[in-house]
Amino acid sequence: RLPSPSVAPHPRPTHTHAHFESSSPLEHTAMRFAGALLTLALAASGTTYFKDTFDSMDKWVKSSVDKFDGEWKLSAGDWYGDKEKDQGLMTSQDAKFYALTANFDEVFDNTDKPLVIQFSVKHAQKIDCGGGYVKIFPKGFDGAALDEETKEKYAIMFGPDICGYSTKKVHVIFTYKGKQHLINKDIKCEDDQLTHVYTLIVKPDNTYVVKIDGEEKASGSLKEDWDFLPPKEIKDPDQSKPEDWVDDEMMDDPEDKKPEGYDDIPAQIVDPEAEKPEDWDDESDGEYEAPMIDNPEYKGEWKAKRIKNPDYKGPWVHPMIANPDYSDDDTIYNYKDLGAVTFDLWQVKSGTIFDNLIITDSEEEADAFLKETFTPMKDAEKKMFDDAEKAKKEKEEAERKAAEAAAEEDDDDEEEEEDDEEEESGHDEL
C-alpha cells in the first residue's frame, strides 16, 4: 500500500501556460503518459503481506518434529527459463514428509478486500503421488512445532494434489466455524513436468476465482460451491406419506388370467434328434440318456399384463419448510488474522519446485507478478525441456541399438564356438 506523502504547499506558478507552450509536443506527450502510468499504478496498488522469489530460505523455519524430516534445497531444476530467476524451493528426498513455515510481513485482515494467494509449482520429477499445495494459518502459528495435530489448524489450503491416475485436482479448502470445507466441484490440476502458476482469489462479495497460468479454471459463489451453510429448507418433520397413497403407476391387469396348463410346460426337454452312439456299451458306459435342450414351447414364469393404475397419484413429494437452523452469513470470505504460510507435504518421489509465492489483497499485484516471473520464462523452459527429452530418447535409442548389436555379436560368437566344437569332434572320430 502506497503511503500518502506529506507535501508542503507550493505557490501556484505564474506562467504555467507559457511553460507548456515552451515544451515540445514530444515532451508534452511523455509527461501525459507518465502521469497516466502513475494514476494506473496508484489505482492498482495494494498491500502485499508475503512475497518470496526464493533467493534464499531465510524466511522459512522447518518443523522440529522428527516425522517431518524431508530436506529442502534451492534449485531451478534441469530445465528453466532463467537459472537464477527460476530458482525455487525444491523437495529433495523420496518418500518423505515435508513441513516449512514462514510468517507474513504483517497480519492480513481481508475485511472488505480481496484475498489473493498465488505461487508456482513444477513437478519436474513427473510426480506419481504427492502434494503441491500451501496452507495459510492464523497469526502466531508456530511452524517449528508443526505436528500431526497443529498442521490441521489451517485457515485455507490451496494448490494441486496428484496421486496415481484418479487424483489430479486443485484443492480449495476453507476452515469455517472450526470445520474444514472442501469445494463441491472438481478442478483439474496440471500434471506435466513444467512450471505452472496457481492463483486463488477470494472476494468480499463471497465469490471466488481459481486460475492456472493466469487462465480462469473455476469461479462462482462461496455459498453455492461449499457447504458452509445449512440448507435454507428442510423436510417438514410433521408430514409423512399417507398410508393410502398410491405411487405405483402400473398394476397387474386383474382380468388377465394364467392359461390352463401353463405351468406344466417344462423348461427343457429331451433332444428328439439325439441318437444313442453305435459304440455305446450299456454295461461299461451305463444306461444311455439323451441330452436335454431348451423347450421352444416354454415361455418362462407367467406374469399378468401390466396396465395403468387408475388410483395412481404420482410420486409423493415431502413438503418443505424453512430451516430454523439456517442463518445467512455474508462474512464467509473474511479472515481477520492470517499470519503464516506453510508447505505441509508428503511426496513419494521428490523434485517438486515451488517459486514466486505472493499473498496480497490486490488482483493486479498478483497478475503483474505472474507477468514478471512466469510469462517471460515459460517458452524458454518448454524448449529446454523438449530438448532434454529429445536428447534422452536419442540416448535411450542408441543404448538399445548398442545392446542389440552386442547380443547379436554374442550369438555369433556362440555359433562359431559350436561350429568349432563340431569340427573338432569330427577330427576325433577320424
Side-chain angles (χ1 to χ4, degrees):
R1 181 177 292 130
L2 296 174
S4 299
S6 176
V7 181
H10 292 282
R12 179 187 293 270
T14 56
H15 300 290
T16 305
H17 185 65
H19 170 77
F20 279 107
E21 284 184 342
S22 65
S23 302
S24 69
L26 184 60
E27 290 174 335
H28 193 185
T29 301
M31 291 173 64
R32 292 179 62 185
F33 182 69
L37 286 178
L38 178 61
T39 300
L40 181 63
L42 290 170
S45 65
T47 300
T48 295
Y49 297 88
F50 185 86
K51 188 176 186 180
D52 200 350
T53 55
F54 297 98
D55 299 320
S56 72
M57 293 173 58
D58 294 346
K59 296 181 179 181
W60 299 85
V61 59
K62 186 179 174 182
S63 171
S64 60
V65 176
D66 291 342
K67 178 177 180 178
F68 301 95
D69 60 349
E71 290 294 333
W72 302 83
K73 69 178 184 179
L74 296 175
S75 174
D78 294 329
W79 45 85
Y80 39 78
D82 181 291
K83 187 172 184 179
E84 182 178 346
K85 293 180 180 178
D86 284 347
Q87 175 179 282
L89 186 67
M90 186 175 82
T91 58
S92 66
Q93 294 176 296
D94 295 345
K96 289 285 186 178
F97 288 93
Y98 294 84
L100 208 61
T101 300
N103 291 323
F104 289 6
D105 298 330
E106 60 179 287
V107 175
F108 189 178
D109 177 357
N110 73 320
T111 302
D112 297 329
K113 52 190 173 184
L115 163 62
V116 185
I117 303 168
Q118 180 175 285
F119 61 100
S120 70
V121 182
K122 176 163 66 175
H123 291 308
Q125 76 278 43
K126 200 170 185 178
I127 193 169
D128 48 0
C129 190
Y133 41 78
V134 298
K135 292 180 176 181
I136 309 300
F137 285 86
K139 66 178 181 180
F141 178 72
D142 185 359
L146 180 145
D147 58 19
E148 283 296 316
E149 181 180 354
T150 59
K151 76 188 189 81
E152 299 302 325
K153 303 295 183 182
Y154 62 85
I156 302 169
M157 177 172 147
F158 170 65
D161 190 17
I162 294 175
C163 199
Y165 293 100
S166 59
T167 301
K168 294 182 180 180
K169 61 196 278 187
V170 179
H171 281 300
V172 189
I173 304 175
F174 296 104
T175 297
Y176 176 72
K177 294 186 176 180
K179 182 181 178 182
Q180 294 168 358
H181 295 265
L182 282 67
I183 192 170
N184 294 333
K185 61 174 68 170
D186 287 331
I187 308 173
K188 187 180 183 302
C189 68
E190 299 294 333
D191 61 356
D192 59 29
Q193 294 170 263
L194 301 173
T195 298
H196 295 285
V197 179
Y198 291 83
T199 308
L200 170 64
I201 304 168
V202 181
K203 302 182 181 183
D205 62 356
N206 284 302
T207 60
Y208 73 97
V209 178
V210 172
K211 297 180 181 180
I212 301 179
D213 298 342
E215 180 182 344
E216 182 178 310
K217 298 296 182 180
S219 63
S221 166
L222 296 177
K223 297 179 182 180
E224 293 175 2
D225 292 345
W226 283 263
D227 296 327
F228 293 118
L229 305 175
K232 291 183 178 181
E233 292 186 320
I234 59 172
K235 294 178 179 179
D236 186 348
D238 295 329
Q239 297 286 336
S240 59
K241 185 169 72 172
E243 292 184 3
D244 60 350
W245 187 274
V246 178
D247 50 14
D248 292 325
E249 185 175 1
M250 304 295 288
M251 60 176 286
D252 291 343
D253 184 352
E255 297 182 1
D256 189 21
K257 304 297 182 183
K258 180 163 60 174
E260 192 172 329
Y262 186 93
D263 290 337
D264 297 334
I265 302 173
Q268 288 193 318
I269 58 173
V270 174
D271 185 353
E273 298 181 1
E275 295 182 359
K276 181 177 177 180
E278 292 181 1
D279 59 350
W280 187 273
D281 187 334
D282 289 343
E283 290 185 4
S284 59
D285 297 330
E287 185 181 352
Y288 174 77
E289 294 182 2
M292 304 293 286
I293 61 172
D294 290 338
N295 186 354
E297 301 296 326
Y298 180 70
K299 298 179 180 179
E301 181 184 355
W302 184 84
K303 294 180 180 179
K305 288 192 304 182
R306 302 284 286 174
I307 62 172
K308 287 196 172 184
N309 190 341
D311 297 324
Y312 174 64
K313 296 181 180 180
W316 185 77
V317 179
H318 203 128
M320 305 292 286
I321 61 171
N323 185 354
D325 295 328
Y326 175 79
S327 177
D328 199 4
D329 185 358
D330 289 330
T331 66
I332 291 174
Y333 80 96
N334 191 203
Y335 291 89
K336 295 186 177 297
D337 63 349
L338 301 178
V341 56
T342 294
F343 293 103
D344 165 31
L345 310 168
W346 157 258
Q347 290 200 333
V348 173
K349 191 175 181 181
S350 64
T352 297
I353 300 173
F354 299 92
D355 201 6
N356 299 318
L357 172 59
I358 184 172
I359 298 167
T360 177
D361 59 16
S362 169
E363 296 179 48
E364 294 81 7
E365 292 278 355
D367 188 54
F369 192 47
L370 178 147
K371 291 176 180 176
E372 173 193 347
T373 58
F374 172 71
T375 305
M377 309 296 175
K378 62 178 183 178
D379 291 340
E381 181 192 64
K382 177 69 163 61
K383 183 180 184 306
M384 192 172 183
F385 172 76
D386 289 343
D387 290 345
E389 287 294 290
K390 181 180 178 182
K392 179 182 175 182
K393 289 179 180 178
E394 289 175 349
K395 181 181 178 182
E396 290 173 349
E397 180 65 13
E399 290 175 347
R400 182 186 65 79
K401 289 181 177 180
E404 289 179 353
E408 289 178 3
E409 187 174 339
D410 290 342
D411 290 342
D412 292 341
D413 291 343
E414 288 178 5
E415 289 178 2
E416 289 179 3
E417 289 178 3
E418 289 175 359
D419 292 342
D420 291 343
E421 289 175 359
E422 289 177 1
E423 187 175 341
E424 290 177 5
S425 175
H427 285 305
D428 292 341
E429 290 177 1
L430 290 174

